């Protein structure tokens, strides 16, 4: 287990569920910090709109900006502590499933070295993302992934945080923009925080996505030139980008809705069920809510198909 990825925002509705599961604000402070402000800024450097976030906006719970990989590690630590390391198997992925006559389900599993195995259980939860193999079997005729034309490059850089010191800033236009926010408290020696940034450009997508991968590491020079003149007295975007150790390229992708998230003892969760653009942290926060609703349904109905039916009904009503 190792931390991967860059930053993510956890909205107050997701933080509420984490707190109810005894994942405390102290835990979240170890991997990020509460966001104080959302600000939209034009290319002239002036504010278009700004508003407070989290408790400053009147919510009972904060909004947290965290390092996604460090957040995953903290969840992993909690899970190991509560149910033991034997319940976690790394380097495995489910490639498909078979429903058994007795109502149970068999999952087909592939390991990192290419070997295969099978596992049988009462339920199978496909929480395997937008490229879900479980969803692909459940809905074999689903249309392909959509690319809307926007490409995002993501990275982190150490720099001095601006505005409130915990501001989530969107800068630019719908054709070209930057989003950035701190995901750590300032280093007391330098005053610098780890800044998560997303550089985004919308381009002609008539030919579709031409790369073989939907997510890949790229060189800074592959895209930084799009932002060479984005310099103001309060922000130097080229310098922020070039201070990053690495960058990752993601096209902005989506899927059409499917008529059902459940197939007997099998259910979909998170982006596997309802893929969302990575805008406003909706996808990550909704996945946490999905899991919490499923857990509550199992408390009420047990580890049963009735729990899947109840939870998917609740999530569909709220998404």
């Amino acid at each position: 287990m190792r931390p991967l990825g860059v930053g993510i925002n956890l909205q107050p509705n997701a933080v509420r569920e984490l707190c109810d599961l005894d994942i405390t604000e102290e835990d979240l402070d170890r991997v990020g910090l509460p966001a104080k402000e959302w600000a939209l800024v034009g290319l002239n450097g002036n504010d278009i709109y700004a508003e407070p976030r989290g408790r400053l906006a009147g919510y009972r719970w904060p909004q947290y900006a965290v390092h996604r990989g460090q957040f995953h590690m903290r969840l992993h630590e909690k899970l190991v502590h509560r149910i033991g390391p034997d319940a976690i198997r790394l380097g495995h992925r489910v490639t498909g499933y078979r429903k058994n006559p007795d109502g149970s389900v068999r999952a087909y599993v592939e390991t990192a070295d290419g070997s295969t195995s099978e596992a049988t259980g009462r339920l199978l939860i496909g929480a395997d993302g937008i490229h879900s193999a479980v969803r692909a079997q459940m809905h074999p005729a689903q249309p392909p992934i959509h690319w809307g034309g926007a490409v995002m490059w993501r990275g982190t850089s150490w720099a001095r945080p601006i505005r409130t010191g915990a501001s989530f800033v969107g800068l630019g236009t719908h054709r070209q923009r930057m989003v950035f926010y701190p995901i750590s408290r300032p280093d007391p020696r330098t005053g610098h925080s780890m800044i998560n940034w997303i550089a985004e450009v919308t381009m002609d997508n008539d030919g579709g996505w031409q790369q073989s991968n939907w997510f890949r590491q790229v060189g800074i020079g592959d895209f930084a030139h799009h932002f060479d003149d984005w310099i103001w007295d309060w922000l130097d975007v080229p310098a922020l980008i070039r201070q990053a150790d690495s960058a990752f390229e993601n096209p902005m992708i989506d899927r059409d809705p499917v008529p059902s998230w459940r197939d007997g003892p099998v259910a979909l969760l998170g982006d596997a069920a309802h893929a969302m653009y990575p805008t406003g942290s909706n996808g990550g926060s909704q996945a946490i809510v999905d899991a919490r609703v499923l857990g509550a349904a199992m408390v009420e109905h047990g580890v049963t198909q009735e729990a899947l039916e109840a939870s998917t009904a609740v999530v569909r009503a709220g998404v």
Side-chain angles (χ1 to χ4, degrees):
M1 192 70 177
R2 62 190 188 278
L4 298 174
V6 284
I8 188 172
N9 263 262
L10 303 174
Q11 300 290 0
N13 59 331
V15 173
R16 171 195 171 176
E17 306 304 343
L18 294 172
C19 289
D20 279 355
L21 292 169
D22 199 29
I23 297 168
T24 65
E25 291 180 39
E26 182 180 53
D27 291 319
L28 296 176
D29 282 336
R30 293 175 53 185
V31 298
L33 75 168
K36 295 180 179 179
E37 179 193 40
W38 158 246
L40 182 61
V41 181
L43 286 177
N44 59 6
N46 296 328
D47 281 14
I48 298 172
Y49 176 77
E51 67 178 21
R53 305 300 281 177
R55 286 202 176 100
L56 296 177
Y59 290 98
R60 291 174 60 189
W61 296 270
Q63 173 178 327
Y64 264 86
V66 303
H67 187 289
R68 181 194 298 264
Q70 296 294 342
F71 176 56
H72 284 169
M73 294 299 293
R74 189 64 183 143
L75 293 179
H76 177 256
E77 291 171 11
K78 288 281 188 179
L79 192 60
V80 168
H81 175 72
R82 293 179 185 183
I83 65 176
D86 292 341
I88 300 171
R89 297 184 185 180
L90 302 177
H92 291 61
R93 68 185 188 95
V94 172
T95 59
Y97 64 88
R98 186 184 74 200
K99 294 183 290 181
N100 297 322
D102 64 357
S104 64
V105 58
R106 176 166 294 186
Y108 301 113
V109 180
E110 184 178 281
T111 59
D113 63 6
S115 62
T116 59
S117 61
E118 299 178 5
T120 299
R122 280 183 280 176
L123 302 176
L124 172 64
I125 309 303
D128 47 345
I130 194 170
H131 305 290
S132 169
V134 177
R135 174 179 167 133
Q137 178 172 337
M138 191 180 295
H139 298 285
Q142 67 175 338
I145 287 174
H146 301 295
W147 174 46
V151 179
M152 299 176 293
W153 296 278
R154 299 167 177 263
T156 58
S157 304
W158 286 94
R160 190 173 297 278
I162 64 171
R163 300 177 70 97
T164 66
S167 293
F168 188 103
V169 180
L171 170 64
T173 71
H174 71 287
R175 301 289 302 180
Q176 185 175 0
R177 65 176 185 153
M178 285 282 296
V179 176
F180 56 95
Y181 50 90
I183 55 175
S184 76
R185 298 180 187 276
D187 185 309
R189 298 167 300 170
T190 65
H192 289 185
S193 295
M194 180 178 286
I195 307 296
N196 180 77
W197 51 261
I198 303 102
E200 181 181 317
V201 173
T202 299
M203 54 190 67
D204 181 7
N205 68 335
D206 287 345
W209 184 247
Q210 299 300 309
Q211 302 294 335
S212 59
N213 297 322
W214 296 102
F215 175 88
R216 63 179 185 139
Q217 188 169 348
V218 297
I220 301 294
D222 291 355
F223 65 92
H225 59 279
H226 292 294
F227 301 90
D228 278 346
D229 58 349
W230 286 40
I231 301 174
W232 296 268
D233 57 358
W234 53 275
L235 178 66
D236 186 330
V237 169
L240 181 67
I241 292 174
R242 291 191 167 90
Q243 287 166 13
D245 292 333
S246 59
F248 300 90
E249 180 182 77
N250 300 86
M252 187 83 84
I253 55 178
D254 195 8
R255 279 200 183 278
D256 286 348
V258 288
S260 173
W261 299 337
R262 180 172 163 252
D263 179 17
V266 183
L268 304 173
L269 184 149
D271 273 356
H274 44 69
M276 298 180 179
Y277 278 150
T279 301
S281 304
N282 293 311
S285 294
Q286 183 61 48
I288 292 170
V289 173
D290 284 7
R292 184 70 164 112
V293 169
L294 176 58
M298 288 186 179
V299 169
E300 182 175 356
H301 300 283
V303 184
T304 64
Q305 295 188 36
E306 288 75 17
L308 299 187
E309 183 177 1
S311 65
T312 53
V314 170
V315 172
R316 274 195 176 276
V319 170

